[in-house]
Amino acid sequence: MPISNEQVIAHGFLRGLYRDDYYPDRVVDRGREILLRLCERIETERPADLPALYVLTQAATDEFNDLQAEFEAADSEIETVAREEIAEDFGFVADAYGFADADVEELIATRDW
């Protein structure tokens, strides 16, 4: 299902990571795909409240947890800059879908990065 939210379509996910050579584009691309799949799930499942949204975002966070190994294999890691960039994009997604009151820490509560 193609994404229909115009804000999401226009958003440059993980922009800061793409600008920094420390983060390999091929791995950042996988992170971007995780975020886009999250948006597709939100549009398909239409969570009715924050707890339902958190289930979806935490599942996407688990995918980022798995992505850590790929960063490390490429002599990179999800460190402070990447953590902040990823968290900001999770916050953007929540806002774009009408969940302005979402707690970013709760959106990514399952992170181990």
Side-chain angles (χ1 to χ4, degrees), residues 7-57:
Q7 291 176 60
V8 170
I9 292 168
H11 186 70
F13 286 105
L14 305 176
R15 193 176 6 225
L17 302 187
Y18 281 112
R19 288 191 294 242
D20 189 330
D21 290 338
Y22 179 68
Y23 308 102
D25 285 353
R26 66 179 172 74
V27 182
V28 177
D29 287 345
R30 299 264 331 259
R32 182 177 174 277
E33 291 167 8
I34 292 168
L35 292 164
L36 290 172
R37 276 195 309 275
L38 169 62
C39 293
E40 290 171 357
R41 284 192 71 190
I42 291 170
E43 290 189 15
T44 300
E45 298 180 25
R46 301 191 185 279
D49 54 20
L50 283 174
L53 176 68
Y54 293 148
V55 168
L56 299 180
T57 61

Side-chain angles (χ1 to χ4, degrees), residues 67-82:
L67 193 59
Q68 279 189 101
E70 289 187 47
F71 275 101
E72 291 168 3
D75 294 323
S76 184
E77 66 180 304
I78 299 178
E79 43 69 72
T80 304
V81 171

